[in-house]
Amino acid sequence: MNRRHIIVFLFLLAFVPVRSSACTSVIIPGWAMADGRPLMWKNRDTDHLDNSIRHFKGEKYSFVGLVNSDSEGGEVWIGANTAGFAVMNTASYCLKNDNVPVSEMDREGRLMYRALEICATLEDFETFLDTLSRPMGVEANFGCIDASGGAAWYETDNTSYHKIDVNACSEGFFVVTNFSVSGDASRWKGVERYRTAYGIFSEMESAGTLSGLHPLDVVDSLSRSYRHEVLGIDLTRDAEEFLSHTNGYAVDQDFIPRRSTSASVVIKGVRKGDDPAQAVLWAALGYPSVSVTVPVPVSVEPHVPSALSRFPASEDLSSFCGLAGYLKGGYVFMDGVSNSSHYVCLSHVLGDSEWARSTLSCCRDAERKIRTEFEDIYNDFISGKISEEEYLRRYDSISEGFFGIYRESFEDYIHWKGPLHIR
């Protein structure tokens, strides 16, 4: 990427509006993974930026999931239950073809909450959709995996759904953003982010690295990617050149991470015949480039670290989402007049300064420490060396320290009040 390409990139993006509710996601089926365990990822974009991870005891199954911190209950935006079933969604903008009023729509979170309460398999989920009263109040793509090897997308409107069996796809992954292949192609949204995510996963598959993906790799490679497939640039890869020829600002448009990103969540499922308790939800709350991804067991009783589940998260520097929001507002995005809110500052995200490492370096260092602590215990559990009870007991003994690892890694940013601070 030369200087001319950078200037053209910034000029072109300045005239494109920013849109929220722009999630990016993937399902990688078990057959494509070296360990046989499926993986699903959602980069959530929403107007509800304060997010938490909560544990729920449902009608049939307990589950953990991502929620709006101010939620009164009954809604989940990605989650997994104790039967090994997991579900997530992305908004679709090309399916609805009816007169159902807006007041009766946007029920996706409630639908997924109920599904996590009662569904163990894809067949259960399909029966659930078949028997829901119409209109269902949704226009969305629902991605699901189960403990029987099932992996599918359901493009769903108020009256029907179109199933895409991910296991039957020729590629080892299926990316979804904000359109449905069965919908009106003239109304497709999120095609730009789809192209970027598809390009990244395709390159992984070609290089032979897709099968060995860890949840942390997905967050780091996708939710922290400043690659723009339409323009043919990658600011993460070309960070040194980008920062040396600009002041570090870019227009916040059509990258996978954006101002409206509230979380990046990866669910690692289980192989057919394995104990569903081996499933793990990995969550980075807030803007991923200044947040840290934390593992959470999928269990009957609650085992969510308090700093992940705290309510409310806003302005709470003792919670993951609160601290991420502080760092995002202080070092990544501006609030102000005119169009300043449309720009993202990548100087601190991508580059080291004389007083601090890049925020990406801070994220990765903290995650390496957390992963090591967690997987020392987790690997003993899945290998049969310790019981589920011992696994959860030992998890509780270390998990409250995860936030301290996060804070310590970002200590320079928390205390710096110099002139480069955006706030």
Side-chain angles (χ1 to χ4, degrees), residues 216 224 283-285 287-288 290-294 308 320 324 362-364 366-367 370 402 405-406 409-410:
L216 293 179
R224 295 176 183 144
L285 299 182
Y287 191 70
V290 291
S291 185
V292 168
T293 314
V294 176
L308 271 185
F320 281 92
C362 295
C363 292
R364 292 162 184 161
E367 287 171 348
I370 291 171
F402 292 163
I405 294 173
Y406 176 25
S409 189
F410 278 88

Side-chain angles (χ1 to χ4, degrees), residues 359-376:
T359 67
L360 293 188
S361 295
C362 295
C363 292
R364 292 162 184 161
D365 283 354
E367 287 171 348
R368 276 193 291 268
K369 294 175 183 176
I370 291 171
R371 176 181 177 177
T372 297
E373 288 193 10
F374 171 71
E375 292 189 347
D376 281 348

Side-chain angles (χ1 to χ4, degrees), residues 165-356:
D165 185 353
V166 178
N167 281 313
C169 297
S170 58
E171 294 169 308
F173 61 91
F174 199 97
V175 173
V176 170
T177 57
N178 302 111
F179 63 89
S180 305
V181 295
S182 62
D184 180 356
S186 68
R187 293 156 52 197
W188 284 12
K189 303 293 182 184
V191 176
E192 299 80 9
R193 283 175 290 103
Y194 171 86
R195 289 181 59 183
T196 298
Y198 181 87
I200 292 172
F201 283 115
S202 291
E203 290 170 8
M204 290 177 176
E205 189 168 51
S206 296
T209 59
L210 182 75
S211 63
L213 274 186
H214 188 278
L216 293 179
D217 298 329
V218 180
V219 174
D220 204 54
S221 299
L222 279 297
S223 293
R224 295 176 183 144
S225 171
Y226 296 94
R227 172 169 166 172
H228 196 296
E229 200 71 6
V230 175
L231 296 177
I233 62 162
D234 188 336
L235 302 184
T236 310
R237 181 195 61 201
D238 301 323
E240 184 176 353
E241 184 176 1
F242 168 66
L243 295 176
S244 67
H245 288 95
T246 73
N247 62 3
Y249 282 85
V251 179
D252 182 39
Q253 177 65 40
D254 289 329
F255 295 118
I256 292 171
R258 43 209 278 156
R259 189 185 187 98
S260 58
T261 297
S262 68
S264 179
V265 179
V266 181
I267 294 173
K268 186 68 171 175
V270 299
R271 293 175 299 189
K272 186 175 182 179
D274 282 352
D275 185 349
Q278 295 181 10
V280 180
L281 180 149
W282 295 75
L285 299 182
Y287 191 70
S289 295
V290 291
S291 185
V292 168
T293 314
V294 176
V296 179
V298 181
S299 53
V300 174
E301 299 297 329
H303 292 275
V304 183
S306 60
L308 271 185
S309 62
R310 185 160 298 138
F311 167 80
S314 182
E315 300 302 322
D316 176 8
L317 298 191
S318 63
S319 73
F320 281 92
C321 193
L323 180 53
Y326 171 80
L327 295 168
K328 172 187 173 184
Y331 297 97
V332 187
F333 289 98
M334 294 187 296
D335 290 318
V337 298
S338 190
N339 290 319
S340 60
S341 62
H342 293 275
Y343 294 85
V344 56
C345 177
L346 298 177
S347 298
H348 304 297
V349 172
L350 300 178
D352 298 336
S353 69
E354 60 185 25
W355 54 272

Side-chain angles (χ1 to χ4, degrees), residues 153-171:
W153 281 100
Y154 298 86
E155 300 179 339
T156 310
D157 61 22
N158 277 315
T159 59
S160 62
Y161 60 87
H162 170 73
K163 179 181 178 180
I164 300 171
D165 185 353
V166 178
N167 281 313
C169 297
S170 58
E171 294 169 308

